[in-house]
Amino acid sequence: MLNLGFTMATRMPGEIDKPLISHHLVDSDGSLAEPPVGALKVGILGSGDFARSLATRLVGSGFSVVVGSRNPKRTAGLFPSSAQVTFQEEAVTSPGIIFVAVFREHYSSLCGLSDQLAGKILVDVSNPTEQEHLRHLESNAEYLASLFPTCTVVKAFNVISAWTLQAGPRDGNRQVPICSDQPEAKRTISEMVHAMGFMPLDMGSLVSAREVEAMPLHLLPAWKVPALLALGLFVCFFAYNFTRDVLQPYVQEGKNKFYKLPVSVVNTTLPCVAYVLLSLVYLPGVLAATLQLRRGTKYHRFPDWLDHWLQHRKQIGLLSFFCAALHALYSFCLPLRRSHRYDLVNLAVKQMLTNKSHLWVEEEVWRMEIYLSLGVLALGTLSLLAITSLPSIANSLNWREFSFVQSTLGFVALVLSTLHTLTYGWTRAFEESRYKFYLPPTFTLTLLVPCVIILAKGLFLLPCFSRRLTKIRRGWEKDGAVKFTLPADSILAEKTSHV
């Protein structure tokens, strides 16, 4: 196995997380110092953007780099001065590790180097396109291994972008999936990954290369269903509000209010979507607790749809916060509309014509004050939930702190949002004039699911349910052999035990 101990020995423990490349190196101005004496020599085949970033990172990590290019004179100025840029035949002669930074269709052009590459470690960093991934049955790494059977092929660094290589692991993903049929080769490349400031992730044999190559092709896979859900809710509520606020006045009263579509209708729709999405974050927890109470055990799997729902709660909650934040911004823009100014002028003229010198409705004043205050509190609580969802913040919290923020404060946000909605509606749900086209006000539709969740949460706090649910989550089974009594302080046990 190749020894990489010199790299780790020359770096202090706290320096591994520091960016290894200065801004001058990012600009590739050739200001890199010469590699230390005895540095491990690494070869790179290719002179594209990724090859340049990889060479810069390797040189900054203390490696000696030799770059093989078809036209070294033209590309030499793009690499650090300490990196040797030469022809491909010369570049693969001395290094024991060769990074293959060329596209799959160019692999065959390297077959002339088979004799020089024999016995060396080839690191495949390529990625296929979606069409290529579907068309080819074997991965790029497996295809490379078939062309060079005397070499050991390792798949690595394909999920790391050129920018992350230059800027450092703190500005991108730290994990580097690695797979190969040779454990010693994987161990060698893993040490290199550590020396470059990243975290190796063993993915097994080279058969896993197809899965590794599919990783960069995924576009926010965990967000697909939540995004479609949010989009569907927005379309439904927008159509409903359009029918009530724009279409009904035009059909029945002959008033043209289509100007409300860009701002007013959107601003009426966004809080509905945010409120429903927030309730959908906590509804699966209620359903899961209900199933556990009914089954009398926690050892039965949830249905697949519920299991996937539970896994998407973070994304749904962040989309709820996004819609709530947009609602707040749109609300600030309402007084800036020209139509709002015209309404104020018309109201002032109407007040003068009716000889009303003082217009003040005490109930409406208090309602709006409470309504706005509750909305600000709800948005502030949602902000805390969104911030603690960030990995950097979540990793600094212990389980009880994280559970308190996401569960307790989340439920508080739902209650505040419900009070915000009820204060907005006030008595409108009981006024006949609010039922346009016989359709109830929009806020009445949004209250259904949150009120059910709040009621269910209240029922679960009753001793007859809470004690049974706590026993189930601590391993008790209704028809099983595990029988025990809860400690005297069952509430504390529930908070500290999450088996």
Side-chain angles (χ1 to χ4, degrees), residues 7-280:
T7 307
M8 304 304 294
T10 58
R11 191 169 297 280
M12 297 297 291
E15 292 181 300
I16 194 67
D17 291 330
K18 296 180 180 178
L20 299 174
I21 307 171
S22 66
H23 294 292
H24 297 292
L25 304 185
V26 174
D27 297 334
S28 298
D29 64 352
S31 62
L32 279 168
E34 292 295 327
V37 179
L40 178 67
K41 183 173 287 188
V42 179
I44 300 176
L45 293 177
S47 56
D49 294 336
F50 189 86
R52 293 195 294 270
S53 299
L54 181 61
T56 305
R57 189 72 186 175
L58 287 169
V59 170
S61 301
F63 294 93
S64 177
V65 178
V66 182
V67 180
S69 173
R70 290 174 294 182
N71 194 337
K73 291 184 178 180
R74 185 181 63 182
T75 58
L78 302 175
F79 287 86
S81 59
S82 56
Q84 179 185 355
V85 182
T86 182
F87 291 99
Q88 292 181 344
E89 294 80 2
E90 300 176 6
V92 300
T93 302
S94 55
I97 301 174
I98 307 294
F99 285 86
V100 182
V102 297
F103 291 106
R104 179 189 177 115
E105 55 265 28
H106 300 308
Y107 286 174
S108 58
S109 65
L110 304 176
C111 291
L113 306 175
S114 297
D115 294 337
Q116 295 97 314
L117 294 174
K120 299 180 184 294
I121 297 177
L122 301 184
V123 183
D124 178 38
V125 300
S126 66
N127 278 318
T129 62
E130 292 188 25
Q131 293 77 14
E132 291 173 343
H133 184 71
L134 295 174
R135 184 169 65 249
H136 299 301
L137 297 179
E138 60 180 357
S139 64
N140 290 358
E142 291 174 305
Y143 175 61
L144 183 65
S146 67
L147 294 178
F148 300 93
T150 59
C151 300
T152 300
V153 176
V154 179
K155 186 71 183 183
F157 288 100
N158 66 300
V159 301
I160 301 297
S161 66
W163 165 253
T164 302
L165 282 172
Q166 288 191 351
R170 287 197 298 180
D171 297 328
N173 186 13
R174 292 180 59 92
Q175 287 189 339
V176 177
I178 300 174
C179 62
S180 176
D181 292 333
Q182 297 295 330
E184 289 296 322
K186 279 195 297 184
R187 188 176 297 111
T188 300
I189 302 303
S190 295
E191 292 181 4
M192 288 190 65
V193 171
H194 271 300
M196 296 168 69
F198 295 97
M199 297 279 294
L201 179 63
D202 193 344
M203 297 293 292
S205 63
L206 201 61
V207 178
S208 304
R210 184 171 176 82
E211 178 186 351
V212 174
E213 292 177 2
M215 291 179 180
L217 301 178
H218 297 155
L219 180 61
L220 302 175
W223 289 84
K224 183 177 181 180
V225 173
L228 290 175
L229 174 63
L231 180 61
L233 287 173
F234 183 86
V235 171
C236 292
F237 280 115
F238 186 88
Y240 192 86
N241 291 323
F242 167 76
T243 303
R244 283 177 41 84
D245 299 339
V246 178
L247 194 60
Q248 187 271 342
Y250 182 77
V251 172
Q252 294 186 344
E253 303 174 17
K255 296 181 179 179
N256 187 349
K257 294 189 176 183
F258 284 88
Y259 67 87
K260 290 186 173 183
L261 287 176
V263 178
S264 182
V265 177
V266 172
N267 191 47
T268 308
T269 302
L270 285 172
C272 300
V273 177
Y275 188 35
V276 173
L277 287 176
L278 181 61
S279 63
L280 293 180

Side-chain angles (χ1 to χ4, degrees), residues 385-424:
L385 297 176
I387 292 174
T388 53
S389 297
L390 298 174
S392 58
I393 304 298
N395 292 337
S396 65
L397 303 176
N398 60 40
W399 171 248
R400 186 174 182 183
E401 293 169 343
F402 182 80
S403 177
F404 171 78
V405 173
Q406 293 295 323
S407 180
T408 306
L409 287 186
F411 183 69
V412 170
L414 183 63
V415 172
L416 288 173
S417 301
T418 302
L419 295 176
H420 176 67
T421 305
L422 290 172
T423 311
Y424 168 80

